[in-house]
Amino acid sequence: MLPELSEDFVGIAEGDSGIPFDLSEGYEVEEEASKTWKLNLDCGQVRGIVDGKEAVRQAVYCILNTERYESLIYSWDYGVELEELFGEPVSYVLPELKRRITEALTQDERIADVRDFTFDIEKHGVVRAAFTVETVFGEIPVEKEVAI
């Protein structure tokens, strides 16, 4: 049961948040730091902290080595869809690989663009993609092998 409203009640106008002041006044929007734990991939340990370009390089590695929708701990925007490319013809895989890698990496706000793709298909059943990731900290060259 809803309480009865008094005669002097004035409703909230359409588009009005009901807050009598502007919360954005006097505040500046700041970007979050990219500082994170440093993964030592050679020995499987976490040692130290990385920031800036090295943190983005590590994020690119993690995104490209996480199959999208596979782990519940990640949002559905995280990772790349590569498993379903297995068994597909190369003529389908190459443009699709470019699209999927670009889509996966540009979810990270520190990554502005993914460009300059080259593909090597000399090894049977494997596509090696090389590309440049343009970040707010500079360019990062990346290579990724995908079994098809």
Side-chain angles (χ1 to χ4, degrees):
M1 184 169 177
L2 296 173
E4 293 200 21
L5 301 175
S6 66
E7 290 179 12
D8 59 340
F9 174 78
V10 178
I12 299 172
E14 187 175 325
D16 186 5
S17 66
I19 300 172
F21 51 89
D22 184 7
L23 292 177
S24 63
E25 277 185 34
Y27 294 96
E28 292 182 28
V29 177
E30 292 183 12
E31 289 185 26
E32 290 185 35
S34 65
K35 193 180 292 186
T36 188
W37 298 106
K38 181 178 181 178
L39 303 176
N40 187 337
L41 303 172
D42 297 330
C43 63
Q45 295 180 342
V46 176
R47 288 205 167 168
I49 294 176
V50 292
D51 197 5
K53 191 174 183 178
E54 192 57 36
V56 177
R57 183 185 321 274
Q58 182 174 286
V60 167
Y61 175 86
C62 291
I63 290 168
L64 293 179
N65 288 287
T66 302
E67 185 67 23
R68 195 171 183 182
Y69 308 120
E70 194 171 272
S71 299
L72 294 175
I73 63 168
Y74 298 115
S75 77
W76 282 14
D77 294 334
Y78 191 84
V80 63
E81 299 170 68
L82 299 176
E83 285 182 359
E84 64 186 39
L85 296 177
F86 188 78
E88 297 292 338
V90 174
S91 60
Y92 171 77
V93 170
L94 297 184
E96 194 63 17
L97 190 58
K98 179 180 178 181
R99 184 189 68 79
R100 291 179 185 200
I101 288 173
T102 301
E103 181 182 290
L105 294 178
T106 54
Q107 294 295 317
D108 190 315
E109 63 188 25
R110 300 169 294 180
I111 297 175
D113 194 18
V114 183
R115 58 182 168 74
D116 302 333
F117 279 84
T118 59
F119 299 100
D120 178 5
I121 54 173
E122 290 180 16
K123 191 174 175 184
H124 181 69
V126 175
V127 173
R128 177 183 290 250
F131 49 92
T132 302
V133 177
E134 187 177 318
T135 75
V136 295
F137 302 108
E139 296 180 352
I140 301 172
V142 180
E143 287 187 9
K144 174 69 177 168
E145 277 192 2
V146 179
I148 57 167

